[in-house]
Amino acid sequence: MAKKPKKQQQSGGTPATVALTSAGVDFTVHAYDHDPNHPSYGEEAAEAMGVSPDRVFKTLVADVDGTLTVAVVPVAGSLDLKALASAVGGKRAAMADPTLAERTTGYVRGGISPLGQRKKLPTVLDTSATAHPTICISAGRRGLEVELSPADLATLTGAVLAPIGRG
């Protein structure tokens, strides 16, 4: 019995790229050599790809009133924890323990993607993403990004759009 082509295509991908392929979404993969000494994963990605940092988004995991929540914000800025809590109807937010974030998402820090996570978490995408036809996010490992439309990202993650980034 022949193997299904879909499985063959997915075997070499990350959970994020597998999720995108399965959903039939248009995306582009960008790979670069990760420098473990670079002070910022996101800024490194922007530099390596030659993309403006306002189009490269980082995935952060926060604890909002006891619920792990994903925040997707531009690498050029930072996360407004108060705004994140408000966006999901919470009162207080703090950055999640990195080990817990890695264990829950199935990804390592610096390579956490909002897509294909081990456990689907509530997700908030910064509204600045909608200013761009495409944005870049982690594809699930350091040195690998995917470029896709913000609308597709929001749809696939069930993300709430809210102004959660600070420039």
Side-chain angles (χ1 to χ4, degrees), residues 58 60-64 69-74 76-88 90-95 124-127 162-167:
K58 56 189 169 186
L60 302 172
V61 181
D63 180 320
V64 180
T69 303
V70 173
V72 184
V73 296
S78 61
L79 171 62
D80 181 335
L81 288 165
K82 221 176 233 190
L84 175 65
S86 177
V88 293
K91 293 182 181 183
R92 184 175 293 153
M95 293 307 297
V124 182
L125 175 60
D126 186 65
T127 52
I164 58 168
R166 285 194 294 229

Side-chain angles (χ1 to χ4, degrees), residues 25-157:
V25 169
D26 287 333
F27 67 98
T28 304
V29 175
H30 298 277
Y32 60 92
D33 291 327
H34 167 62
D35 175 4
N37 297 316
H38 200 288
S40 166
Y41 298 116
E43 289 175 14
E44 176 193 22
E47 291 167 12
M49 295 184 303
V51 175
S52 172
D54 65 339
R55 280 192 51 228
V56 180
F57 283 64
K58 56 189 169 186
T59 305
L60 302 172
V61 181
D63 180 320
V64 180
D65 298 335
T67 300
L68 289 183
T69 303
V70 173
V72 184
V73 296
V75 301
S78 61
L79 171 62
D80 181 335
L81 288 165
K82 221 176 233 190
L84 175 65
S86 177
V88 293
K91 293 182 181 183
R92 184 175 293 153
M95 293 307 297
D97 173 71
T99 303
L100 179 60
E102 289 179 341
R103 192 175 32 224
T104 304
T105 64
Y107 293 118
V108 296
R109 210 175 98 218
I112 294 178
S113 177
L115 298 165
Q117 295 179 353
R118 186 176 288 152
K119 179 181 178 190
K120 188 171 172 139
L121 300 173
T123 302
V124 182
L125 175 60
D126 186 65
T127 52
S128 67
T130 61
H132 308 285
T134 61
I135 60 171
C136 297
I137 58 167
S138 176
R141 74 169 195 258
R142 296 172 188 152
L144 194 67
E145 296 277 310
V146 289
E147 181 177 349
L148 74 164
S149 80
D152 285 340
L153 177 61
T155 299
L156 291 174
T157 59

